[in-house]
Amino acid sequence: MTPSTHQPSTDYDAIVVGAGFGGLYMLHKLRDELGMHVRLLDKASGIGGTWHWNRYPGALSDTESFVYRYSFDENLLQEWDWDTRYLSQPQILSYLEHVADRYDLRRDIQLNTGVSGARFDEKRNVWEVQTDRGDKITAKYLITALGLLSATNVPDFKGRETFQGEQYHTGAWPENVDLKGKRVGVIGTGSTGLQVITAIAPQVKHLTVFQRSPQYSVPVGNGPVSPAYVKSVKENYDQIWKGVRESIVAFGFKESAVPAMSVSEEERRAVFQKAWETGGGFRFMFETFSDIATDPQANEAAAAFIRGKIAEIVKDPETARKLTPHDLYAKRPLCDTGYYATFNRDNVSLVDVKANPISEITPKGIRTSDGQEHELDVLIFATGYDAVDGNYTRIDIRGRNGQSIRDKWKNGPTSYLGVANADFPNLFMVLGPNGPFTNLPPSIETQVDWIAGLIKHMNDTGRQVVEATRQTEDQWTATCNEIAGYTLFPKAESWIFGANIPGKPRTVMFYLAGLGAYTQKLNEVQRAGYQGFEIR
Ligand code: FAD
Ligand code: NA7
């Protein structure tokens, strides 16, 4: 640890916002490795970010346990055990609680404190941060780890406020919700909807699922793992993390290099069948063949395989028809613990709200446009997030000349390298727009390490201001667009391109070339003296 660099002209050297994977590691890095005076703020009442907020039944990572964690400390890796292939929300939260305690982070974390505004004072080169408690605090650096799936999206249905039952969004799920014996409606069939639907169906009196788009999903393949398996993972962690960091999606497996159409139909089916039995959405999309996310024919082969499974699993042909997607298989790949089979239960019904839209929410439930009122005691919004920039545009962030980030991003969010923004000096983002699309903890660590390296460089050389240039930011946006254009993702309607929020511009929001290529780029920029940044 280097001695504290705190300049008393500000309250802190750095203010970090967000106490999830990103913010917690950032605090540790800046405070414990760079010796800086740091304050972390979060509007939540507890730490954990995503895993604090998403307490809905069935909440589970779809990254396997062995790589849904930090890798920065060999001792932490060795001491924390797991016994299932995937981690449930309570398990991840307890891991992050452990991390906070282990590195004594809590003393610098202030909870129940939302950041409502942040302004860069160009005369003093400091950030002034305004909280919803009425405080104003200053720091040289502002680091936002606001989460890319964190700003909840509750569609503006007519009459929502008139509903007399309970209503919840999965991403703001309170403790002690009791659904037993109740008539429950779920709107939304994304990753979250699939999880909550499958988990609660056996408990509730009746479950009505309001589906706008049918989904391609494969089994997650969760189950116990043996202590011997955990031991062998721990013995091989160096190799495992090396592989993760060099890979595309960073999910702990090697992506296939075999194009789907280069093998016979029989072989293709056998590969898909094996992946179906192994489980895992990212494995199904990226470990089977190299081109499912890029080649329409390969994509259709995978999609047809899943459609065949739906036909086999779902007994009622009309329900099977409604559950069967026909569009591209090009959203974030889903996996589940028996989603399609849930619709064979007598207490579960499916309403296709594309064919029969929700016309209003009534005091008693949901009325669809065919005039039917679906009576409900509880209404669950599994309607996703204003992803990536949603939490940024909810804060009044102002950079040079009072320019607001909302204005700057009105045609879609941009960044340089997913971490910096022209005209917003000394501001760094963890998982900002146009960062990598991967299993996220390894990308978070990559960004935090890199940002901390740049701040250390500033400290060591006595510099005051670091700022991405417009030109490099534009180039990065163009690069991300070009890469996205090689994939099928922009052609699917999903949050990855902002298509899930009415009125949100459809733009590229990720660097889709993978973590390996992304890390190489960061290293090149650093080696070239932080190319694309002006440092004074
Ligand atoms: P978050 O964990 O989202 O934390 C952001 C924090 O910022 C929050 O605590 C929030 O309260 C705080 N905040 C935001 N705005 C303000 C403000 N104005 N003032 C103060 N505080 C603020 N990723 C994977 O890689 N694998 C998975 O299996 C996976 N599963 C997921 C399942 C669900 C249900 C969801 C919602 C997401 C999942 N993700 C998964 C993505 C997940 O968000 C990331 O893996 C990771 O947890 C993000 O960490 P973070 O620190 O960047 O952000
Ligand atoms: P998603 O994947 O955005 O899914 C949201 C779901 O809600 C999806 O099925 C939407 O239908 C549906 N939705 C959204 N608005 C409406 C309206 N107005 N009417 C009906 N249905 C609606 O969010 P998740 O939380 O499931 O997952 C997000 C990520 O978090 C996921 O990828 C994981 O990384 C964890 P649509 O499909 O748009 O037609």
Side-chain angles (χ1 to χ4, degrees):
M1 190 179 109
T2 49
S4 174
T5 55
H6 179 52
Q7 298 164 355
S9 58
T10 54
D11 296 318
Y12 300 97
D13 296 323
I15 294 169
V16 178
V17 191
F21 267 98
L24 293 177
Y25 182 41
M26 195 83 232
L27 169 59
H28 169 60
K29 193 87 190 170
L30 296 183
R31 188 193 68 182
D32 301 335
E33 286 187 26
L34 302 193
M36 293 170 67
H37 187 41
V38 187
R39 189 73 165 165
L40 188 157
L41 310 176
D42 198 305
K43 64 183 173 187
S45 60
I47 65 140
T50 293
W51 306 102
H52 165 84
W53 292 104
N54 284 265
R55 291 162 193 257
Y56 61 84
L60 184 80
S61 68
D62 64 1
T63 302
E64 290 170 52
S65 309
F66 73 116
V67 285
Y68 198 67
R69 60 192 58 232
Y70 294 115
S71 67
F72 68 85
D73 184 338
E74 175 66 18
N75 294 326
L76 174 64
L77 277 174
Q78 293 301 327
E79 74 198 18
W80 196 253
D81 284 323
W82 67 98
D83 55 13
T84 46
R85 185 169 164 209
Y86 298 88
L87 300 170
S88 64
Q89 175 271 331
Q91 290 171 311
I92 304 169
L93 186 57
S94 112
Y95 169 73
L96 290 171
E97 301 263 0
H98 169 74
V99 168
D101 292 334
R102 191 185 191 289
Y103 300 97
D104 193 15
L105 300 178
R106 291 184 202 268
R107 66 186 152 94
D108 293 306
I109 298 177
Q110 185 175 323
L111 297 169
N112 299 304
T113 307
V115 169
S116 50
R119 187 181 76 89
F120 186 70
D121 178 340
E122 291 184 64
K123 289 205 185 83
R124 297 166 62 215
N125 291 328
V126 301
W127 278 97
E128 276 179 11
V129 170
Q130 180 81 47
T131 76
D132 58 8
R133 292 174 162 201
D135 300 325
K136 200 175 265 181
I137 51 176
T138 55
K140 181 170 174 184
Y141 298 103
L142 174 61
I143 293 139
T144 48
L146 306 178
L148 51 77
L149 292 159
S150 169
T152 53
N153 165 45
V154 180
D156 190 17
F157 291 113
K158 184 180 157 207
R160 190 168 78 81
E161 67 295 344
T162 67
F163 182 59
Q164 283 173 354
E166 303 154 62
Q167 47 178 307
Y168 306 105
H169 189 286
T170 51
W173 195 268
E175 307 255 22
N176 305 322
V177 176
D178 185 9
L179 301 174
K180 272 190 218 80
K182 294 187 178 159
R183 297 165 305 171
V184 179
V186 175
I187 305 178
T189 54
S191 171
T192 303
L194 266 55
Q195 290 186 345
V196 77
I197 288 162
T198 311
I200 68 175
Q203 302 167 16
V204 302
K205 183 174 175 200
H206 190 86
L207 175 62
T208 311
V209 175
F210 298 88
Q211 170 199 277
R212 189 165 68 180
S213 305
Q215 302 283 3
Y216 295 103
S217 181
V218 304
V220 67
N222 200 10
V225 292
S226 68
Y229 159 83
V230 174
K231 184 166 174 279
S232 83
V233 167
K234 288 186 176 181
E235 283 166 3
N236 287 301
Y237 254 139
D238 285 351
Q239 272 303 105
I240 289 170
W241 288 115
K242 184 172 179 294
V244 165
R245 290 192 200 99
E246 288 171 359
S247 71
I248 300 169
V249 293
F251 267 74
F253 60 81
K254 202 169 176 327
E255 289 90 5
S256 170
V258 180
M261 293 301 142
S262 68
V263 303
S264 68
E265 191 180 343
E266 196 186 358
E267 198 179 322
R268 214 163 33 241
R269 279 198 62 83
V271 170
F272 286 140
Q273 180 60 32
K274 184 160 173 276
W276 181 272
E277 286 161 16
T278 305
F282 275 78
R283 283 188 189 270
F284 195 87
M285 189 179 269
F286 294 100
E287 195 179 29
T288 50
F289 296 105
S290 59
D291 52 354
I292 289 174
T294 52
D295 176 66
Q297 234 187 326
N299 190 271
E300 173 53 24
F305 180 88
I306 300 174
R307 287 197 288 266
K309 290 292 182 189
I310 300 172
E312 278 171 27
I313 295 167
V314 182
K315 295 199 178 109
D316 173 48
E318 178 56 9
T319 307
R321 186 190 65 73
K322 287 185 195 162
L323 283 170
T324 304
H326 292 280
D327 52 351
L328 284 168
Y329 174 46
K331 299 179 182 176
R332 191 180 185 280
L334 303 184
C335 47
D336 65 81
T337 55
Y339 174 67
Y340 298 122
T342 297
F343 292 89
N344 292 334
R345 299 179 61 92
D346 291 337
N347 69 333
V348 177
S349 50
L350 179 65
V351 180
D352 174 354
V353 299
K354 205 167 249 169
N356 180 20
I358 293 171
S359 48
E360 63 176 331
I361 296 180
T362 67
K364 285 191 187 159
I366 290 184
R367 195 186 312 282
T368 40
S369 60
D370 60 359
Q372 190 180 343
E373 188 175 35
H374 304 265
E375 291 195 7
L376 304 168
D377 304 310
V378 183
L379 177 49
I380 297 175
F381 290 92
T383 41
Y385 297 90
D386 184 356
V388 183
D389 57 332
N391 270 338
Y392 284 84
T393 51
R394 285 169 200 206
I395 304 176
D396 187 16
I397 304 178
R398 289 178 186 267
R400 285 205 185 283
N401 304 315
Q403 179 182 184
S404 84
I405 213 148
R406 279 182 207 138
D407 279 351
K408 183 174 173 190
W409 288 358
K410 64 177 184 297
N411 297 320
T414 55
S415 80
Y416 180 39
L417 304 170
V419 297
N421 230 283
D423 293 330
F424 292 80
N426 293 5
L427 168 73
F428 293 105
M429 302 175 288
V430 181
L431 300 186
N434 290 339
F437 182 76
T438 63
N439 167 39
L440 291 170
S443 289
I444 288 171
E445 283 189 307
T446 301
Q447 292 189 331
V448 169
D449 288 345
W450 194 87
I451 293 166
L454 175 45
I455 291 177
K456 180 172 186 312
H457 172 75
M458 298 284 294
N459 291 346
D460 291 350
T461 53
R463 309 293 184 91
Q464 296 307 314
V465 183
V466 53
E467 183 170 4
T469 66
R470 279 260 175 182
Q471 194 194 1
T472 38
E473 184 167 310
D474 291 347
Q475 279 165 1
W476 184 248
T477 309
T479 301
C480 292
N481 255 316
E482 188 187 337
I483 295 163
Y486 296 127
T487 77
L488 299 170
F489 287 106
K491 300 190 171 78
E493 299 278 318
S494 88
W495 60 264
I496 302 176
F497 279 78
N500 63 326
I501 304 288
K504 188 164 175 166
R506 292 195 63 162
T507 53
V508 66
M509 296 209 284
F510 287 96
Y511 172 80
L512 293 174
L515 182 57
Y518 176 73
T519 308
Q520 265 183 29
K521 175 70 185 170
L522 288 183
N523 291 342
E524 278 167 26
V525 168
Q526 188 260 330
R527 277 198 300 269
Y530 293 104
Q531 188 182 37
F533 287 91
E534 278 174 8
I535 299 183
R536 290 186 298 284

